């Protein structure tokens, strides 16, 4: 256990710091922005697409199962990223202050 | 060299996510924040495609497949996001979230197959650590975690999407929470078995976990009432964040790790904030089925009785001779897409010297901020929108409150009836005004599925009809006055 912690201390630091940062960042958000913020966060966890790209790019050219699953993952991940950012932008467009 | 540039790109991307989220929580910079995060995401994706090298220094291949997938996904995503109506926003977010969850689960499945195939080559030569060219127990554990969280998030998001657009009805049975808990325990047991019996039977155990996790996602969301859906979507959103972070561990990829954990933490806090806005605890949301249950039925038996109707011309007349009118928008306004004509009515009344304001309940409509978005779209000025606390002070000096398709957020039972499922939720206290006009399509209860005494009060008059056509008629009447 101790050894494991020692080996992965870098990760453990990152995770702990990120948790506090995530909480700190949105600590005082007005309720009006809850939905766009949710949508924006939804787009950000689209980073999972990077994993999909790596899976896809590492698959052997004759491993059809990996290719097909990876291809699906790339499509779904892209929908998450692109759709997420576009929808958030559309929502926020509505908040424009009138000149 | 390339790999060092990629490290720098990932570092930049992580920082853009942090800055983007920070700016998203402030109305003045929110849009720019979103764009900054999107830019960071773009460079991270492109950098991965062209610069990524695995431990042996091999670049990625299958470029055709990758670009094909990105192209298809980008087209679908853009079209879906552009086409969706403002009223259907929460469903859309839920659907996108489900896609992310499914993506994480698929990555786990592919990686598991890698592990399974490599067992034949290095039988039992287990190393220890996250990032090994072969695998380790930690690696397998992360794969399982990603699979479970991703699947739950995917299945749950699809159910939430179905519920919000009315395709799926609330469904709960006695002892459902116990049953759900049991499934969760079984998932954990099977996962442990996978490690204990390793490497025998792992394929069958792994896919059992997948099936059960999907089932759990469905059952987890099914009993939760529609009014609580935004909270659930926000929670599933943070799940997907954690699933994405699992991918970060798998590939020793800091940008996935930081982005995922960031969303996981921020999403969890956001979920709690949303609950606070509705004055409900997260526990109640998840355990107390909201709406359509036996509890709600009991509350309904108390009311019923006579309600008054008012004609359009009387309503127009009354409002035009008032000093102050407050409009309470709700989901009915959103469904009817009546925000523009509502703004028109507001202008007509102002011309006649009536002061018009809007009272916005934090959870009016189907999500926090829903009404603000709609009214802003119709060019209603920001200053006219009052938050709940301000509005509640103003009702006392208001002549007419016009309620447009809002129901649960003005239900006095939240203050008076401890048996009511919405008991404790702060409401707009419209009864303080001299007269309340309620526009609804029928006497059917609102989203929480409970009767509203307000409609039967002596001060209240009902104005039946679709919000858009009623408002058009009101505007027409005002023109003729």
């Amino acid at each position: 256990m101790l050894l494991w912690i020692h080996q992965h201390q870098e990760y453990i630091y990152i995770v702990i710091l990120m948790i506090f940062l995530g909480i700190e960042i949105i600590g005082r958000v007005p309720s009006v922005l809850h939905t766009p913020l949710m949508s924006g966060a939804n787009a950000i966890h689209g980073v999972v697409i990077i994993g999909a790209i790596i899976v896809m790019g590492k698959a052997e050219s004759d491993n059809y199962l990996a290719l097909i699953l990876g291809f699906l993952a790339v499509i779904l991940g892209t929908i998450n990223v692109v759709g997420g950012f576009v929808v958030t932008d559309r929502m926020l467009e509505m908040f424009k202050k009138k000149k | 060299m390339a790999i060092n540039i990629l490290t720098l790109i990932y570092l930049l991307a992580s920082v853009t996510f942090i800055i983007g989220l920070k700016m998203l929580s402030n109305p003045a910079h929110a849009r720019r924040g979103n764009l900054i995060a999107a830019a960071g995401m773009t460079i991270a994706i492109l950098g991965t495609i062209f610069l990524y090298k695995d431990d042996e220094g091999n670049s990625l291949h299958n470029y055709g497949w990758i670009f094909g997938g990105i192209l298809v996904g980008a087209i679908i995503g853009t079209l879906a996001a552009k086409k969706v109506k403002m009223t259907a926003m929460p469903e859309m977010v839920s659907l996108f979230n489900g896609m992310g969850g499914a993506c994480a689960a698929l990555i786990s499945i592919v990686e598991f197959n890698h592990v399974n195939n490599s067992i034949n080559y290095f039988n039992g030569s287990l190393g220890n650590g996250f990032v090994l060219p072969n695998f380790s127990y930690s690696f397998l554990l992360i794969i399982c975690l990603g699979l479970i969280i991703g699947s739950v998030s995917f299945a749950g998001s699809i159910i939430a999407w179905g519920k919000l657009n009315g395709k799926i009805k609330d469904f709960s049975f006695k002892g459902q929470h116990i049953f759900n808990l049991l499934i969760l325990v079984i998932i954990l047991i099977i996962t442990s078995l996978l490690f204990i019996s390793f490497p025998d039977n792992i394929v069958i155990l792994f896919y059992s976990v997948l099936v059960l996790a999907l089932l759990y996602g469905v059952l987890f969301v099914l009993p939760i009432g529609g009014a609580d859906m935004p909270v659930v979507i926000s929670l599933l959103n943070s799940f997907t964040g954690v699933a994405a972070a699992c991918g970060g561990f798998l590939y020793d990829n800091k940008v996935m790790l930081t982005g995922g954990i960031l969303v996981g933490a921020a999403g969890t806090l956001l979920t709690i904030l949303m609950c606070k806005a509705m004055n409900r605890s997260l526990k109640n949301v998840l355990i107390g089925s909201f709406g359509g249950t036996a509890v709600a039925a009991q509350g309904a038996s108390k009311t019923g009785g006579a309600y008054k109707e008012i004609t359009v011309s009387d309503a127009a007349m009354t409002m035009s001779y008032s000093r102050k009118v407050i409009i309470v928008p709700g989901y009915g306004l959103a469904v009817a897409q009546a925000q523009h004509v509502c703004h028109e009515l507001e202008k007509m009344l102002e011309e006649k010297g009536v002061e018009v304001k809007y009272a916005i309940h934090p959870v009016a409509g189907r999500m926090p901020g829903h009404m603000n978005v709609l009214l802003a779209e119709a060019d209603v000025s920001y200053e006219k929108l009052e938050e709940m606390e301000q509005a509640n002070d103003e009702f006392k000096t208001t002549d007419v409150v016009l309620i447009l398709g809002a129901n649960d957020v003005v239900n006095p039972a939240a203050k008076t009836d401890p048996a009511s499922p919405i008991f404790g939720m702060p409401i707009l206290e419209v009864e303080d005004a001299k007269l309340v006009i309620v526009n609804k399509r029928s006497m059917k209860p609102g989203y929480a599925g409970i009767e509203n005494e307000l409609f039967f009060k002596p001060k209240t008059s009902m104005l039946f009809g679709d919000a858009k056509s009623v408002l058009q008629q009101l505007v027409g009447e005002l023109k003729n006055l």
Side-chain angles (χ1 to χ4, degrees):
Chain A
M1 183 70 194
L2 275 177
L3 179 71
W4 187 88
I5 290 179
H6 177 75
Q7 277 177 330
H8 304 299
Q9 55 180 336
E10 203 184 324
Y11 283 102
I12 296 167
Y13 273 99
I14 291 179
V15 169
I16 292 172
L17 289 174
M18 275 294 154
I19 290 173
F20 280 100
L21 189 61
I23 291 171
E24 215 41 54
I25 278 179
I26 65 157
R28 304 185 50 183
V29 55
S31 68
V32 174
L33 279 177
H34 280 180
T35 305
L37 185 63
M38 174 169 92
S39 181
N42 169 49
I44 290 173
H45 70 47
V47 280
V48 74
I49 186 178
I50 291 178
I53 291 171
I54 295 174
V55 158
M56 188 79 244
K58 286 209 303 205
E60 299 82 15
S61 307
D62 54 354
N63 183 348
Y64 287 107
L65 181 70
L67 282 177
I68 289 166
L69 292 180
F71 184 61
L72 260 180
V74 171
I75 291 179
L76 295 176
T78 313
I79 292 177
N80 184 181
V81 171
V82 176
F85 282 120
V86 174
V87 151
T88 312
D89 190 61
R90 265 191 69 196
M91 274 189 222
L92 292 169
E93 207 179 347
M94 308 293 175
F95 284 95
K96 271 208 304 268
K97 283 257 163 53
K98 287 279 157 325
K99 293 286 175 296
Chain B
M1 182 65 206
I3 202 84
N4 296 338
I5 295 175
L6 187 60
T7 308
L8 188 65
I9 286 178
Y10 282 161
L11 185 63
L12 265 175
S14 287
V15 173
T16 61
F17 295 163
I18 295 165
I19 292 173
L21 261 191
K22 174 88 190 144
M23 287 166 88
L24 269 168
S25 39
N26 171 338
H29 309 299
R31 200 169 175 197
R32 203 172 337 141
N34 184 47
L35 290 176
I36 287 175
M41 187 71 80
T42 311
I43 57 166
I45 291 172
L46 291 175
T48 306
I49 295 175
F50 294 113
L51 305 175
Y52 181 85
K53 299 245 189 311
D54 64 11
D55 303 327
E56 284 105 42
N58 304 320
S59 295
L60 295 176
H61 47 278
N62 299 326
Y63 276 5
W65 286 83
I66 293 177
F67 282 115
I70 288 180
L71 192 67
V72 173
I75 291 171
I76 297 176
T78 311
L79 282 180
K82 286 272 186 214
K83 286 259 183 295
V84 64
K85 285 201 184 69
M86 272 294 155
T87 46
M89 277 301 174
E91 287 109 287
M92 205 72 243
V93 173
S94 181
L95 208 51
F96 289 147
N97 180 46
M99 300 293 136
C103 181
L106 284 171
I107 291 172
S108 280
I109 293 171
V110 175
E111 284 300 325
F112 173 77
N113 285 326
H114 269 302
V115 168
N116 194 29
N117 294 337
S118 54
I119 288 173
N120 309 331
Y121 308 124
F122 327 90
N123 214 340
S125 68
L126 297 179
N128 207 340
F130 281 114
V131 206
L132 285 175
N134 52 3
F135 57 86
S136 65
Y137 278 124
S138 308
F139 192 75
L140 191 59
L141 180 64
I142 295 289
I143 289 179
C144 290
L145 270 182
L147 176 84
I148 296 168
I149 302 170
S151 309
V152 168
S153 175
F154 166 67
S157 300
I158 297 296
I159 299 293
W161 167 78
K163 281 190 113 148
L164 277 173
N165 63 19
K167 285 193 174 64
I168 298 173
K169 291 278 164 288
D170 290 11
F171 166 82
S172 52
F173 51 86
K174 263 214 165 15
Q176 174 151 11
H177 302 299
I178 309 292
F179 186 76
N180 287 2
L181 206 60
L182 197 67
I183 292 186
L184 198 56
V185 170
I186 294 174
I187 290 175
L188 293 178
I189 291 174
I190 296 183
T191 311
S192 322
L193 272 179
L194 208 158
F195 285 87
I196 294 165
S197 75
F198 191 87
D200 307 326
N201 308 331
I202 57 170
V203 174
I204 187 128
L205 289 172
F206 183 81
Y207 285 104
S208 318
V209 169
L210 169 65
V211 172
L212 283 173
L214 289 171
L215 180 68
Y216 182 76
V218 171
L219 290 174
F220 171 73
V221 179
L222 264 186
I224 299 171
D228 285 335
M229 262 321 123
V231 177
V232 176
I233 293 172
S234 174
L235 187 67
L236 292 171
N237 198 9
S238 50
F239 281 6
T240 311
V242 177
C246 288
F249 281 117
L250 281 183
Y251 300 119
D252 186 22
N253 185 313
K254 303 285 190 297
V255 76
M256 281 173 81
L257 184 68
T258 49
I261 297 287
L262 192 66
V263 171
T268 308
L269 177 65
L270 184 60
T271 310
I272 293 166
L273 289 176
M274 281 189 181
C275 286
K276 271 209 185 117
M278 296 200 271
N279 201 20
R280 294 165 60 73
S281 71
L282 188 54
K283 195 175 118 240
N284 275 352
V285 168
L286 298 180
I287 292 180
S289 304
F290 193 48
T293 56
V295 187
Q298 288 163 5
S301 59
K302 275 197 227 133
T303 54
Y307 54 85
K308 285 202 303 286
E309 279 197 59
I310 187 169
T311 61
V312 170
S313 58
D314 281 355
M317 187 81 84
T318 319
M319 284 196 284
S320 70
Y321 288 109
S322 305
R323 261 183 334 97
K324 184 152 86 173
V325 171
I326 294 190
I327 298 175
V328 178
Y331 191 60
L333 174 98
V335 169
Q337 293 283 315
Q339 61 272 32
H340 296 279
V341 75
C342 184
H343 180 48
E344 217 175 314
L345 176 81
E346 167 212 330
K347 282 191 299 201
M348 297 278 309
L349 287 169
E350 298 242 299
E351 278 169 28
K352 297 193 183 296
V354 184
E355 187 187 355
V356 184
K357 288 202 170 135
Y358 293 84
I360 312 283
H361 189 280
V363 293
R366 289 289 180 272
M367 57 187 190
H370 196 173
M371 291 300 137
N372 308 66
V373 169
L374 276 183
L375 293 170
E377 188 195 7
D379 292 341
V380 172
S381 80
Y382 209 72
E383 293 75 49
K384 288 198 175 300
L385 309 184
E386 306 236 301
E387 303 246 332
M388 184 169 56
E389 289 79 16
Q390 295 168 296
N392 281 342
D393 293 338
E394 293 229 9
F395 286 129
K396 299 178 188 70
T397 57
T398 302
D399 301 303
V400 179
V401 173
L402 175 64
I403 298 176
L404 298 169
N407 191 338
D408 300 321
V409 297
V410 292
N411 190 338
K415 286 199 318 198
T416 55
D417 178 9
S420 172
I422 59 168
F423 185 71
M425 177 173 95
I427 53 160
L428 290 166
E429 291 156 10
V430 293
E431 283 182 281
D432 294 345
K434 291 198 184 67
L435 174 73
V436 180
I437 298 176
V438 181
N439 162 250
K440 277 171 67 67
R441 272 183 299 200
S442 69
M443 286 304 283
K444 278 224 313 266
Y447 214 42
I450 41 186
E451 282 281 359
N452 191 338
E453 290 169 52
L454 177 74
F455 305 153
F456 307 100
K457 297 264 160 135
K459 268 186 191 174
T460 310
S461 306
M462 305 301 289
L463 181 57
F464 290 115
D466 169 80
K468 195 170 187 173
S469 74
V470 165
L471 283 167
Q472 279 162 344
Q473 292 167 35
L474 283 172
V475 168
E477 288 284 341
L478 283 172
K479 279 188 181 134
N480 299 334
L481 278 177

